[in-house]
Amino acid sequence: MKQITVTVNGTVYELQVKSWATLLDMIRDDLGLTGTKEGCGLGECGACTVIMDGKTVNACLVLAPEADGKEIITIEGLSRGGQFHPVQEAFMEQGGIQCGFCTPGMILSTKALLDENPNPTDEEIRRDMAGNFCRCTGYTKIFESIKAAVRKGDT
Amino acid sequence: MVTLYRRLPRVEYVQPKTIEELLALRAQYAGKGALLAGGTDLMPKLKRREIEAPGCLIDLKGIPDLAYISNAEGDGLRIGALATLRAIETSALIQATYGILSQTASSMASVQIRNRGTVAGNLCNAVPSADTAPPLLALDATAKLMSQKGERIVPLDDFFIGPNKTVLSDDELLVEIQVPRVLPHSRGVYLKLTQRSSMELAVVGVAVMVSARNGVCENIKIALGAVAPTPMRAKRAEAVLRGQHFSEELIEHTARTAAEESRPIDDHRATQEYRRDMVEVLVKRAVIETISP
Amino acid sequence: MEFSVIGKHVPRVDAPEKVTGQARYAADYSLPGMLWCKVHRSPYAHARILHVDTSRAQRLPGVKAVVTGKDFHGWSWGWMPETRDEPPLAVEKARYLYEAVAAVAAIDEDIAEEACDLITVDYEELPGVYDPEEALQDGAPLVHEGREKNISIEYHWNFGDVEKAFAESHIIREDRFCTSRATKGYVEPPAALAYYDPAGYITIWPAKQSPYFHYRHLAACFKLPLNRVRVIQPFIGGGFGGTKNDSVAGDFCAVLLSKMTGKPVKFVYTQEEELTTSRRRHSMIVYNKMGAKRDGTLTAVQTRVIADGGAYTAIGPLTMYLAGFATTLPYKLPTYKYDAYRVFTNTPIGAAMRGHGITHTRFACEIQMEMIAEELGIDPVQMRLRNAIDNPKPGTMYETINKVTLKTCGIKEALNTVAAHPLWRDKDKAPQRRDNISWGVGLSGTAYLGGARQRGHQSCGAIVRICEDGTVNLLTGATDCGQGSDTVLCMIAAEELGVRLKDIAIKRVDTAYTPCDPGSYGSRVTILAGQATQMAAADAKRQLVRSAAETWEVNPEDIEIKEGVVFVTTDAQKSMPFSKLARIACYSGSGAVIIGTGYSGYGVEPLDFDTGMGNGGTSYSFTAQLARVGVDMETGKVQVTDFVIAHDGGRPLNPLGAEGQNEGGAIQGLGQTIYENFIMDKGKTLNPTFLDYKMPRTTDVPDIQVIDIITDDPDGPFGAKEASEGSIVSTPPAVVSAIHDATGIWFTELPITPEKIVKALKEKGDKKGHGSVREAKRMKERQET
Ligand SMILES: Cc1cc2nc3c(=O)[nH]c(=O)nc-3n(C[C@H](O)[C@H](O)[C@H](O)COP(=O)(O)OP(=O)(O)OC[C@H]3O[C@@H](n4cnc5c(N)ncnc54)[C@H](O)[C@@H]3O)c2cc1C
Ligand code: FES
Ligand code: FES
């Protein structure tokens, strides 16, 4: 067991974790934040995407002990006081969601993309979202959601 | 008996704070400890039990200042063991002078993986398709290895010895990748052939660095990925063009020679024949691209 | 008709839960004291199980129970009573690699996995058979003893005299087509949390798109009355048919382990378990023979299908039915013969997937029709228009030779729409070649069924409960696995009742409360659960209107409800908010209960597997599609740049959702056309990861335009037909035809990988012309009129 201190969605947690537990296990099992999904466990689908110290990572490939001292944002940390984040709003309005299993990861990757590059080209959107696999939508409405989020950011 | 595991095997985890401490641990665990950089190769392999579980994972990330990308003395590029693929992709320094490297990094995996995965990890993992290997080979890179016994500098060309095998010994660490200065009139390109346009391992990877003046090929380096047990230089092919005037015929000859030099295998990603044919196509394209205005 | 809710752009009703991470999927459930189940699997694709030793696993601290095949006492399941050949855990033989053999329950997943490793099984390895055509040979190893030639299902259907029709044809082609080994590829692997409580009730939260299948399986397996099986449906992370319409080993094991231990038990498969052991799409070899007159009029189709069924029958009888019955759509076909063989092999099980059955044979027919058009020098659009079925006049029906009946058919309008699109119209204006890239545009025109029939209980039900404040609870047994049906059903209820969409609330299936429903497959939900919802809403509305009529002392016929307002058409003075009427109705007498119920009434006559005669669906959708591709003529890499999809889904009730379904289906279709394929070696799947089983990513998809063709089918709620499967049928032929346009080569084997393209281009360079065209031009003088 390892003792770690980690900030998740603004709250500081002191946790005992198994040294071989992943950040995903910690978020889901220890903190009960099940919005972060496991699709493949191998870094291939992006369903487990969280933002760690400002950068998106696959929580399934990060060890829980590696998160010691880090600041993490999960999907549960995006909306504040009942207010949706503009990216969340855009996905709802544009139909960028079907089954919803990829959605938390998609939204966090979009947020990270727009934080870094507030006005991405279509090509940049396609390139930067490649780590988030969606089987349902065929991506068209996801692209539209991201572009709508860009417009919301402009106003 | 088959179990398809969702959990990682039980391993210990340590995070040394200095290189000395790390090298001591490395020596102490010998074959029973594995270095952990970004974990993007190690974690999937452990989960799928492709490798025997080490007793302990020794995390490099506790060591400060290993993520550097520098060209301090202007005498070449130095990439620290913890420099991520994303850092290589977005570094202004690399984009300006070693564009082939940022271009290569951007062709790899996903943003999430590139945020974690390191160049050093990509090399040490040593799969034939490791994308950073061909451009670094074409750039004549060397690897600085360190252990409690001391340091050694190994040309990348001698670094790989087989699939998943390098000259690294159990107590060593790759601390730095060194890339010599590139001549102002040289250009390079990495072409990665894949079925989809992202999230793919290379079916064939071709890196070409050319220095050309007045229509003459002053120097050329060609390196290939995924077509031999290790990433490889195509030295016979280089010799065809080196010192010669570029001509379509010679470029085709070079490309054919590279294809002959390659030693691909059949696997579930492609057949040997296709890979060899594609070496020819990509080498030709890469050379033409580097000399096009 | 003027609609208040139908046809409007509305976000999904479950969107807020999904964007905030609050939507809970099966793996997100846990209970105090819960145990973890892990499945132990066979290392052989075909082996006799001699002995299973679980003693070491049982002794491992933390392990609470271990089960093997024998613990299910010979129970097995299947889609029909005659085909119940699949045991929860293998008993005598393992018939495919990684088939489940035993399972453990332990206090955590680490221990469960470790315990699985401690189970030892003695096997006698048997010779396996991995190819359906080899499996049909005499002397091939038998996957199931006593099943001659490994035939799992066979159908032989005849409609008209094909021999005579071929003899009279101007041109005949015979070709072999082959479809890929594809799978659903959803992101959420199978998972469930199960609790068999001490009172003898099962409660389970499983990842199922058709919970009522599972409900019956569990009742049968555990010999319980149905009211003791409670399936509570979580959110579902994608379905697409097959696995989530069925049960998996983990489901049965978790329930049995829970029964044995008295604790809740949970399992979560890995994606590798999903990709190596779950149900896949059948891969099919289609030997197709097609005849036509000189003017392109089709005369006959003769199809022989050999499908790789894998180790068990599962839903195979329906697959083979669907692959055959719909060949008479969307083109007029005077004669047709169908011989189908579903064959057992030692590979994972072939089953349903979006575009079920039809995608294989339609692909073969579409491409063959294009080949014939090419040989006859007829434009592909004209070829199709010449044969396409006309839209029947209102009140009439079109009947195919196998007695499939259509009341609406938008194929001609769809074809004309895409043919007028600049992408097609101007395709010869743009240069075809730039550097190494050759561009091509292709077209298809296809059909799919909606409101699929099956056997047994096939009605969907709905309950509309009016709350005293005028809000509404909608209960259905239908499952939204992502396709958006909850939203559409709420829209239907709101429209029918005359209330606002936000006044309707829907929750997921709970078999203890919701009405029985066959499930989410065969594009049934909008049509059949939609009809049930409309009827239930109408029933509730009747009760409310009666109450209003009494209050106002007017005729019920004079009362209307629209957008939350109740009014009398003949007296402008009389109106009240819906909420007020609800209160009046609910508080009448000593208090009343206003509940409307309804169930769909279509599909009364069962499927006829022996003759293939009759309807497979309630109604039929039609799709015409364009695809534009760029083919790298040196590397064979294909980039698809544009899709235009003209879809006749009757009427899109929720345009945003219908568009999303068309787009998603098309991209899955793209995957199976150029990327997706399991590479198999003696029953072993060599590419069981998302890196190597290549599904389209953001970088690989074209720009998609969806155009609605509105035909308003009388058999669907507010005119709706299906919208979720048509495009997975229309995409493969459109893309193959575009690749042909770019390369001059007809590819008949999916997926068309870069390597196949390079090989074919090489061969074409050697010898002029392509393929083995057996062109039988009948010199027989025109015997026909
Ligand atoms: C979904 C996915 C997609 C991928 N796509 C690509 C791709 O397109 N191209 C590609 O080439 N790779 C790809 N990879 C592989 C991987 O991401 C890269 O190889 C990455 O660069 C590995 O770096 P890392 O820091 O994560 O290595 P780690 O996993 O931390 O380490 C890899 C190996 O190197 C050893 N090691 C690490 N650092 C050192 C050091 N300094 N000294 C000595 N030994 C060391 C480790 O012990 C381990 O054996 C992909 C992986 C995934 C999961
Ligand atoms: S679950 Fe982490 S990438 Fe798929
Ligand atoms: S919405 Fe289902 S995977 Fe993206």
Side-chain angles (χ1 to χ4, degrees), chain B residues 2-7 10 196-198 200 269 271 274 277 285, chain C residues 38 41 109-110 113-114 117 632 635 692 694-695 699-700 755 762:
Chain B
V2 173
T3 311
L4 299 171
Y5 308 89
R6 209 166 70 98
R7 305 278 304 174
R10 292 185 172 98
R196 293 177 298 193
S197 295
S198 60
E200 288 264 39
R269 297 203 178 102
T271 62
Y274 179 68
D277 288 349
R285 281 188 191 178
Chain C
K38 187 77 192 177
R41 301 181 175 281
E109 205 179 7
D110 285 322
E113 288 185 349
E114 190 184 345
D117 286 346
D632 185 321
T635 64
D692 283 334
K694 297 176 192 295
M695 296 181 278
T699 49
D700 310 310
E755 187 156 355
K762 257 191 184 174

mmCIF file of all heavy atoms in Angstrom, chain B residues 2-7 10 196-198 200 269 271 274 277 285, chain C residues 38 41 109-110 113-114 117 632 635 692 694-695 699-700 755 762:
data_model
loop_
_atom_site.group_PDB
_atom_site.id
_atom_site.type_symbol
_atom_site.label_atom_id
_atom_site.label_comp_id
_atom_site.label_asym_id
_atom_site.label_seq_id
_atom_site.Cartn_x
_atom_site.Cartn_y
_atom_site.Cartn_z
ATOM 1 N N VAL B 2 -6.172 -20.147 -19.483
ATOM 2 C CA VAL B 2 -6.149 -18.765 -19.953
ATOM 3 C C VAL B 2 -7.003 -17.880 -19.044
ATOM 4 O O VAL B 2 -8.157 -18.188 -18.782
ATOM 5 C CB VAL B 2 -6.697 -18.659 -21.392
ATOM 6 C CG1 VAL B 2 -6.821 -17.201 -21.805
ATOM 7 C CG2 VAL B 2 -5.802 -19.409 -22.355
ATOM 8 N N THR B 3 -6.400 -16.821 -18.578
ATOM 9 C CA THR B 3 -7.153 -15.760 -17.905
ATOM 10 C C THR B 3 -6.826 -14.480 -18.657
ATOM 11 O O THR B 3 -5.668 -14.233 -18.956
ATOM 12 C CB THR B 3 -6.697 -15.627 -16.431
ATOM 13 O OG1 THR B 3 -6.682 -16.920 -15.833
ATOM 14 C CG2 THR B 3 -7.625 -14.717 -15.662
ATOM 15 N N LEU B 4 -7.836 -13.715 -18.988
ATOM 16 C CA LEU B 4 -7.585 -12.438 -19.664
ATOM 17 C C LEU B 4 -7.721 -11.355 -18.596
ATOM 18 O O LEU B 4 -8.821 -11.049 -18.146
ATOM 19 C CB LEU B 4 -8.556 -12.260 -20.827
ATOM 20 C CG LEU B 4 -8.411 -13.356 -21.905
ATOM 21 C CD1 LEU B 4 -9.534 -13.279 -22.929
ATOM 22 C CD2 LEU B 4 -7.070 -13.285 -22.603
ATOM 23 N N TYR B 5 -6.590 -10.846 -18.183
ATOM 24 C CA TYR B 5 -6.523 -10.008 -16.984
ATOM 25 C C TYR B 5 -6.966 -8.580 -17.224
ATOM 26 O O TYR B 5 -6.626 -7.977 -18.226
ATOM 27 C CB TYR B 5 -5.081 -9.959 -16.458
ATOM 28 C CG TYR B 5 -4.478 -11.311 -16.260
ATOM 29 C CD1 TYR B 5 -3.807 -11.946 -17.293
ATOM 30 C CD2 TYR B 5 -4.603 -11.967 -15.032
ATOM 31 C CE1 TYR B 5 -3.256 -13.202 -17.114
ATOM 32 C CE2 TYR B 5 -4.053 -13.231 -14.847
ATOM 33 C CZ TYR B 5 -3.385 -13.844 -15.897
ATOM 34 O OH TYR B 5 -2.848 -15.074 -15.715
ATOM 35 N N ARG B 6 -7.685 -8.056 -16.261
ATOM 36 C CA ARG B 6 -8.034 -6.650 -16.295
ATOM 37 C C ARG B 6 -7.096 -5.863 -15.377
ATOM 38 O O ARG B 6 -6.879 -4.687 -15.559
ATOM 39 C CB ARG B 6 -9.483 -6.469 -15.833
ATOM 40 C CG ARG B 6 -10.192 -5.272 -16.445
ATOM 41 C CD ARG B 6 -11.676 -5.365 -16.205
ATOM 42 N NE ARG B 6 -11.989 -5.148 -14.812
ATOM 43 C CZ ARG B 6 -12.396 -3.975 -14.308
ATOM 44 N NH1 ARG B 6 -12.527 -2.940 -15.091
ATOM 45 N NH2 ARG B 6 -12.667 -3.852 -13.034
ATOM 46 N N ARG B 7 -6.579 -6.553 -14.391
ATOM 47 C CA ARG B 7 -5.733 -5.902 -13.388
ATOM 48 C C ARG B 7 -4.263 -6.023 -13.774
ATOM 49 O O ARG B 7 -3.859 -6.964 -14.450
ATOM 50 C CB ARG B 7 -5.919 -6.582 -12.030
ATOM 51 C CG ARG B 7 -7.345 -6.644 -11.560
ATOM 52 C CD ARG B 7 -7.811 -5.394 -10.929
ATOM 53 N NE ARG B 7 -6.938 -5.008 -9.815
ATOM 54 C CZ ARG B 7 -7.062 -3.873 -9.148
ATOM 55 N NH1 ARG B 7 -8.004 -3.016 -9.484
ATOM 56 N NH2 ARG B 7 -6.249 -3.580 -8.156
ATOM 57 N N ARG B 10 0.742 -7.843 -9.508
ATOM 58 C CA ARG B 10 1.168 -7.165 -8.271
ATOM 59 C C ARG B 10 2.633 -6.779 -8.397
ATOM 60 O O ARG B 10 3.490 -7.652 -8.552
ATOM 61 C CB ARG B 10 1.002 -8.114 -7.086
ATOM 62 C CG ARG B 10 -0.437 -8.421 -6.765
ATOM 63 C CD ARG B 10 -0.502 -9.274 -5.514
ATOM 64 N NE ARG B 10 -1.858 -9.439 -5.055
ATOM 65 C CZ ARG B 10 -2.596 -10.502 -5.313
ATOM 66 N NH1 ARG B 10 -2.109 -11.495 -6.022
ATOM 67 N NH2 ARG B 10 -3.825 -10.581 -4.847
ATOM 68 N N ARG B 196 -5.109 3.230 -41.266
ATOM 69 C CA ARG B 196 -5.871 4.416 -40.898
ATOM 70 C C ARG B 196 -4.899 5.586 -40.840
ATOM 71 O O ARG B 196 -3.693 5.404 -40.984
ATOM 72 C CB ARG B 196 -6.500 4.227 -39.516
ATOM 73 C CG ARG B 196 -7.563 3.168 -39.476
ATOM 74 C CD ARG B 196 -8.087 2.982 -38.064
ATOM 75 N NE ARG B 196 -7.034 2.532 -37.147
ATOM 76 C CZ ARG B 196 -7.248 2.066 -35.932
ATOM 77 N NH1 ARG B 196 -8.455 1.996 -35.465
ATOM 78 N NH2 ARG B 196 -6.239 1.670 -35.171
ATOM 79 N N SER B 197 -5.404 6.767 -40.521
ATOM 80 C CA SER B 197 -4.512 7.921 -40.499
ATOM 81 C C SER B 197 -4.076 8.335 -39.111
ATOM 82 O O SER B 197 -3.392 9.334 -38.940
ATOM 83 C CB SER B 197 -5.171 9.097 -41.218
ATOM 84 O OG SER B 197 -5.330 8.747 -42.585
ATOM 85 N N SER B 198 -4.471 7.573 -38.093
ATOM 86 C CA SER B 198 -3.965 7.863 -36.750
ATOM 87 C C SER B 198 -4.128 6.620 -35.897
ATOM 88 O O SER B 198 -4.782 5.662 -36.300
ATOM 89 C CB SER B 198 -4.749 9.013 -36.117
ATOM 90 O OG SER B 198 -6.110 8.651 -36.024
ATOM 91 N N GLU B 200 -2.058 4.297 -35.033
ATOM 92 C CA GLU B 200 -1.573 3.117 -35.733
ATOM 93 C C GLU B 200 -0.087 2.944 -35.486
ATOM 94 O O GLU B 200 0.651 3.932 -35.374
ATOM 95 C CB GLU B 200 -1.762 3.303 -37.249
ATOM 96 C CG GLU B 200 -3.195 3.231 -37.714
ATOM 97 C CD GLU B 200 -3.575 1.863 -38.222
ATOM 98 O OE1 GLU B 200 -3.127 0.857 -37.623
ATOM 99 O OE2 GLU B 200 -4.313 1.804 -39.216
ATOM 100 N N ARG B 269 -0.127 -7.658 -39.441
ATOM 101 C CA ARG B 269 -0.284 -6.287 -39.929
ATOM 102 C C ARG B 269 -0.033 -6.180 -41.428
ATOM 103 O O ARG B 269 -0.587 -5.320 -42.085
ATOM 104 C CB ARG B 269 0.635 -5.330 -39.172
ATOM 105 C CG ARG B 269 0.278 -5.279 -37.694
ATOM 106 C CD ARG B 269 0.724 -4.027 -36.988
ATOM 107 N NE ARG B 269 0.284 -4.091 -35.600
ATOM 108 C CZ ARG B 269 1.076 -4.397 -34.576
ATOM 109 N NH1 ARG B 269 2.363 -4.625 -34.764
ATOM 110 N NH2 ARG B 269 0.591 -4.457 -33.360
ATOM 111 N N THR B 271 2.043 -8.390 -45.096
ATOM 112 C CA THR B 271 2.940 -9.450 -45.562
ATOM 113 C C THR B 271 4.311 -8.843 -45.833
ATOM 114 O O THR B 271 4.480 -7.637 -46.006
ATOM 115 C CB THR B 271 2.444 -10.064 -46.876
ATOM 116 O OG1 THR B 271 2.439 -9.044 -47.876
ATOM 117 C CG2 THR B 271 1.056 -10.651 -46.739
ATOM 118 N N TYR B 274 4.423 -7.024 -49.272
ATOM 119 C CA TYR B 274 3.868 -5.669 -49.278
ATOM 120 C C TYR B 274 4.832 -4.710 -48.597
ATOM 121 O O TYR B 274 5.098 -3.624 -49.088
ATOM 122 C CB TYR B 274 2.516 -5.670 -48.557
ATOM 123 C CG TYR B 274 1.854 -4.312 -48.475
ATOM 124 C CD1 TYR B 274 1.370 -3.678 -49.615
ATOM 125 C CD2 TYR B 274 1.698 -3.661 -47.245
ATOM 126 C CE1 TYR B 274 0.752 -2.442 -49.540
ATOM 127 C CE2 TYR B 274 1.071 -2.423 -47.155
ATOM 128 C CZ TYR B 274 0.604 -1.819 -48.301
ATOM 129 O OH TYR B 274 -0.011 -0.597 -48.224
ATOM 130 N N ASP B 277 7.724 -3.911 -50.905
ATOM 131 C CA ASP B 277 7.283 -3.001 -51.972
ATOM 132 C C ASP B 277 7.122 -1.577 -51.449
ATOM 133 O O ASP B 277 7.439 -0.609 -52.135
ATOM 134 C CB ASP B 277 5.923 -3.441 -52.538
ATOM 135 C CG ASP B 277 6.049 -4.703 -53.384
ATOM 136 O OD1 ASP B 277 7.198 -5.099 -53.685
ATOM 137 O OD2 ASP B 277 4.995 -5.284 -53.729
ATOM 138 N N ARG B 285 9.579 8.397 -52.400
ATOM 139 C CA ARG B 285 8.810 9.597 -52.063
ATOM 140 C C ARG B 285 9.565 10.494 -51.100
ATOM 141 O O ARG B 285 9.547 11.718 -51.227
ATOM 142 C CB ARG B 285 7.484 9.205 -51.397
ATOM 143 C CG ARG B 285 6.459 8.774 -52.380
ATOM 144 C CD ARG B 285 5.125 8.599 -51.666
ATOM 145 N NE ARG B 285 4.203 7.934 -52.571
ATOM 146 C CZ ARG B 285 2.966 7.600 -52.245
ATOM 147 N NH1 ARG B 285 2.527 7.842 -51.035
ATOM 148 N NH2 ARG B 285 2.192 7.014 -53.124
ATOM 149 N N LYS C 38 -14.443 -13.819 -11.954
ATOM 150 C CA LYS C 38 -13.522 -13.856 -13.096
ATOM 151 C C LYS C 38 -13.678 -15.207 -13.780
ATOM 152 O O LYS C 38 -13.873 -16.231 -13.129
ATOM 153 C CB LYS C 38 -12.085 -13.667 -12.619
ATOM 154 C CG LYS C 38 -11.099 -13.532 -13.750
ATOM 155 C CD LYS C 38 -11.158 -12.152 -14.384
ATOM 156 C CE LYS C 38 -10.387 -12.107 -15.687
ATOM 157 N NZ LYS C 38 -10.494 -10.785 -16.336
ATOM 158 N N ARG C 41 -10.640 -19.615 -18.946
ATOM 159 C CA ARG C 41 -10.966 -19.927 -20.338
ATOM 160 C C ARG C 41 -10.086 -21.012 -20.945
ATOM 161 O O ARG C 41 -8.978 -21.248 -20.477
ATOM 162 C CB ARG C 41 -10.861 -18.637 -21.161
ATOM 163 C CG ARG C 41 -11.808 -17.564 -20.647
ATOM 164 C CD ARG C 41 -11.754 -16.290 -21.455
ATOM 165 N NE ARG C 41 -12.764 -15.349 -20.991
ATOM 166 C CZ ARG C 41 -14.058 -15.420 -21.311
ATOM 167 N NH1 ARG C 41 -14.497 -16.357 -22.123
ATOM 168 N NH2 ARG C 41 -14.915 -14.546 -20.820
ATOM 169 N N GLU C 109 -10.795 -8.297 -7.207
ATOM 170 C CA GLU C 109 -10.549 -8.775 -8.562
ATOM 171 C C GLU C 109 -9.139 -9.355 -8.709
ATOM 172 O O GLU C 109 -8.914 -10.276 -9.488
ATOM 173 C CB GLU C 109 -10.776 -7.637 -9.566
ATOM 174 C CG GLU C 109 -11.135 -8.126 -10.951
ATOM 175 C CD GLU C 109 -11.387 -6.983 -11.934
ATOM 176 O OE1 GLU C 109 -11.160 -5.818 -11.581
ATOM 177 O OE2 GLU C 109 -11.804 -7.282 -13.070
ATOM 178 N N ASP C 110 -8.184 -8.807 -7.944
ATOM 179 C CA ASP C 110 -6.831 -9.369 -7.979
ATOM 180 C C ASP C 110 -6.859 -10.844 -7.581
ATOM 181 O O ASP C 110 -6.251 -11.694 -8.226
ATOM 182 C CB ASP C 110 -5.912 -8.616 -7.004
ATOM 183 C CG ASP C 110 -5.513 -7.245 -7.523
ATOM 184 O OD1 ASP C 110 -5.275 -7.129 -8.741
ATOM 185 O OD2 ASP C 110 -5.435 -6.298 -6.717
ATOM 186 N N GLU C 113 -8.583 -13.069 -10.170
ATOM 187 C CA GLU C 113 -7.713 -13.382 -11.315
ATOM 188 C C GLU C 113 -6.662 -14.412 -10.930
ATOM 189 O O GLU C 113 -6.375 -15.354 -11.671
ATOM 190 C CB GLU C 113 -7.050 -12.101 -11.839
ATOM 191 C CG GLU C 113 -8.032 -11.194 -12.567
ATOM 192 C CD GLU C 113 -7.380 -9.969 -13.213
ATOM 193 O OE1 GLU C 113 -6.195 -9.688 -12.933
ATOM 194 O OE2 GLU C 113 -8.069 -9.293 -14.001
ATOM 195 N N GLU C 114 -6.103 -14.240 -9.751
ATOM 196 C CA GLU C 114 -5.083 -15.181 -9.295
ATOM 197 C C GLU C 114 -5.693 -16.580 -9.152
ATOM 198 O O GLU C 114 -5.087 -17.586 -9.539
ATOM 199 C CB GLU C 114 -4.532 -14.692 -7.954
ATOM 200 C CG GLU C 114 -3.307 -15.440 -7.489
ATOM 201 C CD GLU C 114 -2.846 -14.986 -6.102
ATOM 202 O OE1 GLU C 114 -3.294 -13.917 -5.631
ATOM 203 O OE2 GLU C 114 -2.049 -15.720 -5.498
ATOM 204 N N ASP C 117 -6.021 -18.517 -12.305
ATOM 205 C CA ASP C 117 -4.757 -19.132 -12.725
ATOM 206 C C ASP C 117 -4.500 -20.452 -12.011
ATOM 207 O O ASP C 117 -3.692 -21.260 -12.470
ATOM 208 C CB ASP C 117 -3.590 -18.185 -12.422
ATOM 209 C CG ASP C 117 -3.552 -17.018 -13.388
ATOM 210 O OD1 ASP C 117 -4.233 -17.088 -14.416
ATOM 211 O OD2 ASP C 117 -2.826 -16.043 -13.087
ATOM 212 N N ASP C 632 -4.531 5.930 -52.908
ATOM 213 C CA ASP C 632 -3.111 6.080 -53.202
ATOM 214 C C ASP C 632 -2.710 4.874 -54.054
ATOM 215 O O ASP C 632 -2.699 3.736 -53.574
ATOM 216 C CB ASP C 632 -2.315 6.121 -51.895
ATOM 217 C CG ASP C 632 -0.839 6.408 -52.133
ATOM 218 O OD1 ASP C 632 -0.280 5.880 -53.124
ATOM 219 O OD2 ASP C 632 -0.251 7.137 -51.333
ATOM 220 N N THR C 635 0.506 2.928 -52.584
ATOM 221 C CA THR C 635 0.456 2.244 -51.285
ATOM 222 C C THR C 635 -0.879 1.545 -51.059
ATOM 223 O O THR C 635 -1.005 0.720 -50.153
ATOM 224 C CB THR C 635 0.633 3.245 -50.126
ATOM 225 O OG1 THR C 635 -0.476 4.155 -50.139
ATOM 226 C CG2 THR C 635 1.927 4.026 -50.259
ATOM 227 N N ASP C 692 -5.224 -2.850 -33.366
ATOM 228 C CA ASP C 692 -5.090 -3.740 -34.518
ATOM 229 C C ASP C 692 -6.411 -4.172 -35.138
ATOM 230 O O ASP C 692 -6.439 -4.578 -36.300
ATOM 231 C CB ASP C 692 -4.278 -4.978 -34.120
ATOM 232 C CG ASP C 692 -2.791 -4.671 -34.034
ATOM 233 O OD1 ASP C 692 -2.348 -3.734 -34.727
ATOM 234 O OD2 ASP C 692 -2.084 -5.362 -33.287
ATOM 235 N N LYS C 694 -9.123 -2.537 -36.600
ATOM 236 C CA LYS C 694 -9.041 -1.127 -36.968
ATOM 237 C C LYS C 694 -10.394 -0.518 -37.263
ATOM 238 O O LYS C 694 -10.932 -0.687 -38.332
ATOM 239 C CB LYS C 694 -8.124 -0.986 -38.180
ATOM 240 C CG LYS C 694 -6.700 -1.434 -37.868
ATOM 241 C CD LYS C 694 -5.831 -1.385 -39.082
ATOM 242 C CE LYS C 694 -4.520 -2.093 -38.885
ATOM 243 N NZ LYS C 694 -3.670 -1.466 -37.868
ATOM 244 N N MET C 695 -10.911 0.197 -36.288
ATOM 245 C CA MET C 695 -12.171 0.901 -36.511
ATOM 246 C C MET C 695 -11.861 2.374 -36.787
ATOM 247 O O MET C 695 -10.860 2.890 -36.314
ATOM 248 C CB MET C 695 -13.058 0.739 -35.290
ATOM 249 C CG MET C 695 -13.444 -0.725 -35.091
ATOM 250 S SD MET C 695 -14.524 -0.997 -33.684
ATOM 251 C CE MET C 695 -13.352 -1.047 -32.338
ATOM 252 N N THR C 699 -9.695 10.787 -37.665
ATOM 253 C CA THR C 699 -8.939 11.162 -38.866
ATOM 254 C C THR C 699 -9.391 10.413 -40.110
ATOM 255 O O THR C 699 -8.886 10.671 -41.198
ATOM 256 C CB THR C 699 -7.458 10.836 -38.662
ATOM 257 O OG1 THR C 699 -7.375 9.491 -38.172
ATOM 258 C CG2 THR C 699 -6.798 11.783 -37.693
ATOM 259 N N ASP C 700 -10.283 9.462 -39.951
ATOM 260 C CA ASP C 700 -10.551 8.541 -41.053
ATOM 261 C C ASP C 700 -11.932 8.674 -41.646
ATOM 262 O O ASP C 700 -12.291 7.927 -42.554
ATOM 263 C CB ASP C 700 -10.375 7.099 -40.557
ATOM 264 C CG ASP C 700 -9.067 6.931 -39.849
ATOM 265 O OD1 ASP C 700 -8.048 7.329 -40.420
ATOM 266 O OD2 ASP C 700 -9.060 6.434 -38.704
ATOM 267 N N GLU C 755 -3.164 -3.424 -48.901
ATOM 268 C CA GLU C 755 -2.385 -4.502 -49.476
ATOM 269 C C GLU C 755 -3.128 -5.197 -50.617
ATOM 270 O O GLU C 755 -2.551 -5.520 -51.660
ATOM 271 C CB GLU C 755 -2.052 -5.493 -48.354
ATOM 272 C CG GLU C 755 -1.139 -6.533 -48.816
ATOM 273 C CD GLU C 755 -0.328 -7.194 -47.709
ATOM 274 O OE1 GLU C 755 -0.403 -6.787 -46.527
ATOM 275 O OE2 GLU C 755 0.381 -8.135 -48.054
ATOM 276 N N LYS C 762 -1.152 -4.481 -59.171
ATOM 277 C CA LYS C 762 -0.005 -5.173 -59.766
ATOM 278 C C LYS C 762 -0.492 -6.182 -60.801
ATOM 279 O O LYS C 762 -0.002 -6.227 -61.919
ATOM 280 C CB LYS C 762 0.742 -5.946 -58.669
ATOM 281 C CG LYS C 762 2.017 -5.313 -58.175
ATOM 282 C CD LYS C 762 2.716 -6.372 -57.313
ATOM 283 C CE LYS C 762 3.966 -5.878 -56.665
ATOM 284 N NZ LYS C 762 4.517 -6.889 -55.740
#
